[in-house]
Amino acid sequence: GAVVSQHPSWVICKSGTSVKIECRSLDFQATTMFWYRQFPKQSLMLMATSNEGSKATYEQGVEKDKFLINHASLTLSTLTVTSAHPEDSSFYICSGTDLYGYTFGSGTRLTVV
Amino acid sequence: DQQVKQNSPSLSVQEGRISILNCDYTNSMFDYFLWYKKYPAEGPTFLISISSIKDKNEDGRFTVFLNKSAKHLSLHIVPSQPGDSAVYFCAASVSGGYQKVTFGIGTKLQVIP
């Protein structure tokens, strides 16, 4: 079945540095990629929607200059957390979609110290 | 405003019995509903879905019921197995496909052997 490979699965970084999270769709072409984050005891919250070859659409309250999304091809989308701060520590997860549904990556646990 | 609500944060059920997970939604535009299962440190995996033109969808041990007038859906698992222990997310979207999915906060199910 469809698989989205997400890397890294966990990362610890220093405050002020940038972290890149990569999602690759295997065996299918993800025309649209959704990026979510989940804080403890909260729901998965949509951050942004990206379509291949175009700019991402960000949800209200999500800083587009801080969370850079690149969807350069139908099989690769990246999220870069720039100038990370401790409050950015969260679980980030991507979801690729085609005509048949949504397939999630395994998620990235980001800890900013 | 939480458009998809799962009011029970946790549920414990004896092995072999029925598990019933509930979900309410407020947005009357939602017409496609999904349930995801999530194990710790993994991404959500798709379980079952239902379109608003139906009131029931069954897949093996899993059945989803939709009551549009009450804006309520439920997931029934019967018989429950220890391997079903996970967090279950209810999700909804408008017209499925490429549209973004709105998630509930999740219900942690524990099936006791």
Side-chain angles (χ1 to χ4, degrees):
Chain A
V3 173
V4 172
S5 175
Q6 182 171 348
H7 294 280
S9 55
W10 61 270
V11 58
I12 301 172
C13 71
K14 288 186 177 181
S15 187
T17 61
S18 296
V19 173
K20 180 183 280 189
I21 301 170
E22 182 180 284
C23 280
R24 288 185 183 272
S25 58
L26 309 178
D27 299 326
F28 78 103
Q29 294 182 324
T31 310
T32 301
M33 192 73 80
F34 299 99
W35 286 92
Y36 299 86
R37 63 181 167 185
Q38 184 181 24
F39 293 107
K41 297 185 180 180
Q42 293 187 26
S43 174
L44 285 164
M45 298 297 294
L46 181 66
M47 298 175 65
T49 303
S50 73
N51 294 297
E52 182 263 337
S54 62
K55 289 185 179 180
T57 302
Y58 290 81
E59 295 299 301
Q60 193 172 12
V62 179
E63 301 173 58
K64 62 179 181 179
D65 294 329
K66 181 173 183 60
F67 299 98
L68 301 179
I69 291 172
N70 185 288
H71 195 162
S73 74
L74 288 170
T75 58
L76 175 63
S77 180
T78 61
L79 166 68
T80 302
V81 182
T82 63
S83 187
H85 291 285
E87 55 265 32
D88 298 323
S89 299
S90 185
F91 183 72
Y92 293 85
I93 193 166
C94 61
S95 172
T97 183
D98 61 5
L99 289 174
Y100 303 102
Y102 309 85
T103 302
F104 286 86
S106 55
T108 298
R109 171 72 62 193
L110 171 63
T111 302
V112 185
V113 298
Chain B
D1 174 37
Q2 202 166 4
Q3 298 187 58
V4 178
K5 301 177 184 179
Q6 293 178 259
N7 293 318
S8 298
S10 63
L11 175 69
S12 289
V13 172
Q14 206 74 30
E15 180 179 4
R17 308 292 292 271
I18 184 172
S19 295
I20 300 176
L21 296 98
N22 293 303
C23 177
D24 297 291
Y25 61 96
T26 58
N27 187 344
S28 57
M29 297 297 290
F30 288 143
D31 59 4
Y32 189 67
F33 305 89
L34 312 96
W35 283 94
Y36 287 87
K37 179 167 73 172
K38 184 181 181 301
Y39 294 114
E42 294 183 14
T45 55
F46 172 75
L47 200 55
I48 192 169
S49 65
I50 188 167
S51 164
S52 61
I53 62 173
K54 292 185 174 182
D55 54 18
K56 177 183 175 181
N57 189 25
E58 196 171 350
D59 183 4
R61 296 186 296 115
F62 302 91
T63 303
V64 56
F65 295 92
L66 175 62
N67 182 333
K68 288 186 291 294
S69 60
K71 293 193 178 69
H72 176 84
L73 64 154
S74 60
L75 174 68
H76 292 211
I77 307 172
V78 55
S80 301
Q81 299 174 356
D84 296 329
S85 298
V87 176
Y88 288 79
F89 288 95
C90 171
S93 72
V94 177
S95 300
Y98 297 100
Q99 302 304 316
K100 66 183 183 184
V101 177
T102 302
F103 286 87
I105 198 170
T107 297
K108 185 176 183 179
L109 172 67
Q110 183 183 18
V111 180
I112 304 164

